[in-house]
Amino acid sequence: MKPRCTGHSSQTGEPCKLYPVKGAKVCHKHGGRARQVKAKAQMRLVEQQARELFGKTAPEIVPVDNPLAAYANFAGEVMAWKKLMASLLEDLAAVAVTSEFQGEQIAGAVQLYERAMDRANTVLSSYARLRIDDRLAAISKQQADTVMRAIEAVIALLGADRDQATEARRVAARHLRAD
Ligand SMILES: [Zn+2]
């Protein structure tokens, strides 16, 4: 059954029988047309669409095997989002505001931009606290050491002579630096 408005009649106190405004919990008589209610309803609809899309495409869920690298990626995403919000705001600010709708759009973009700034700030400060770059570098140094030990084992196993061993180490080192 379709849900009804959560408001009540002011005369009888009975639950309202009207249908809510799309995405909202109340009908047009119970504040469904108010700006904040409309904004919230809009967000709910977008969220609902996103959930449906998520269910439909059923994206593969991959476990995070390197949380530091994942966090570094995430920080990059957050910064890209902030940049996008900034250019959106710039675009909107460049046009003369001729209608209430445009005014609302700009107010919305300002809010999104501020939120993006806050998020970027949070992410960057925890990034700095974790010294992720240093740790990532330390991890790849460890991995490189492991690979070099493996190379040594292979050199010993194959019974390579001194020149071949030197060449093998040189090639391996060059490939590791390329990463
Ligand atoms: Zn109502």
Side-chain angles (χ1 to χ4, degrees), residues 71-98:
Y71 196 80
N73 262 335
F74 173 66
E77 245 171 70
V78 168
M79 296 313 282
W81 176 255
K82 183 181 82 81
K83 213 170 145 189
L84 185 70
M85 289 305 107
S87 62
L88 173 73
L89 192 56
E90 237 170 71
D91 288 353
L92 282 172
V95 275
V97 180
T98 55

Side-chain angles (χ1 to χ4, degrees), residues 5-8 16-19 26-30:
C5 165
T6 56
H8 290 80
C16 176
K17 293 186 180 71
L18 297 174
Y19 289 116
V26 287
C27 71
H28 64 279
K29 281 189 183 164
H30 283 108

Side-chain angles (χ1 to χ4, degrees), residues 148 151 155 160 163-173:
M148 287 315 285
I151 298 288
I155 288 169
D163 285 350
Q164 287 171 324
T166 307
E167 182 63 7
R169 287 185 198 109
R170 202 183 60 74
V171 169

